[in-house]
Amino acid sequence: MAEIYFVRHGQSEANAANLVAGWRDYPLTEEGVNQATKESQKIKRKFHIGGMISSPLMRAHDTAKIIAQGNNFPVEDIVLLDGLKEKGYGELEGCISPEELRGVSDENIVRAGGETFDVFAERVEQVNQQILYHLGQVGIGSSLLIVGHAGFYRMAQCVGKGLPPSEMVNMEKPNNSILLRYPIGQNWA
């Protein structure tokens, strides 16, 4: 069976400004482009990309395109999944830092138009089923690469380990443009 890997997008303007981005579109910084380019070369030495799935948000999709181009994977074959977006924070996006967000309750995030941990976990579970479908389309000797966001990966760890969704905040945050194995857990059908 093919391996599933995950890469968080390169540094975005929101990361550089220490702002919560959520669903808001922010471009990559020059550093983010460099990070994606370097990771692309590491991936090329590690495995063959047989399929790519990306969040449609600019910072992730641009990272995916850089990696695809560096690995001779057709950019037009990158599958965009809305469900791979970062956790939604509504009106808080672009206004507060990640440190400030830690003090905001789920109820206040919902009032701002964002998602609860439970809703986000349900979305991740649905995307996991789509990932398994795409994994089945990857050829022998190739791997599936997912390009997404730190919060999505953290929630995928919770889902994979069967932890309560609120434990997402205690999961380690992946660095920008670092290759990780995607957390497949017992909850996957």
Side-chain angles (χ1 to χ4, degrees), residues 35-70:
Q35 290 170 338
T37 302
K38 287 177 186 172
E39 199 59 33
S40 174
Q41 295 310 305
K42 289 179 187 175
I43 289 168
K44 191 173 192 170
R45 292 189 297 272
K46 187 171 178 80
F47 63 89
H48 178 264
I49 298 173
M52 282 185 81
I53 302 173
S54 175
S55 160
L57 294 175
M58 182 187 314
R59 57 197 183 269
H61 190 207
D62 286 349
T63 299
K65 288 188 279 190
I66 291 167
I67 292 170
Q69 290 166 346

Side-chain angles (χ1 to χ4, degrees), residues 148-163:
H149 307 276
F152 187 92
Y153 186 80
R154 293 165 79 188
M155 185 58 79
Q157 290 179 80
C158 287
V159 169
K161 294 176 181 179
L163 298 173

Side-chain angles (χ1 to χ4, degrees), residues 87-92 103-116:
K87 184 177 188 294
Y89 294 100
E91 295 172 1
L92 300 175
V104 180
S105 69
D106 246 12
E107 295 79 26
N108 285 333
I109 290 171
V110 169
R111 279 191 208 105
E115 295 176 289
T116 65

Side-chain angles (χ1 to χ4, degrees), residues 10 17 22 28 40-41 66-67 71 79 82 85 89 92 96-97 115-116 119 121-122 133 146 163 172 189:
L28 296 174
S40 174
Q41 295 310 305
I66 291 167
I67 292 170
N71 284 269
V79 176
D82 265 356
K85 288 180 180 176
Y89 294 100
L92 300 175
I96 64 173
S97 71
E115 295 176 289
T116 65
V119 168
E122 288 174 23
Y133 168 79
I146 301 164
L163 298 173
E172 188 172 343

Side-chain angles (χ1 to χ4, degrees), residues 158-176:
C158 287
V159 169
K161 294 176 181 179
L163 298 173
S166 60
E167 283 297 306
M168 173 189 143
V169 297
N170 298 319
M171 304 310 286
E172 188 172 343
K173 182 178 179 179
N175 292 327
N176 293 104

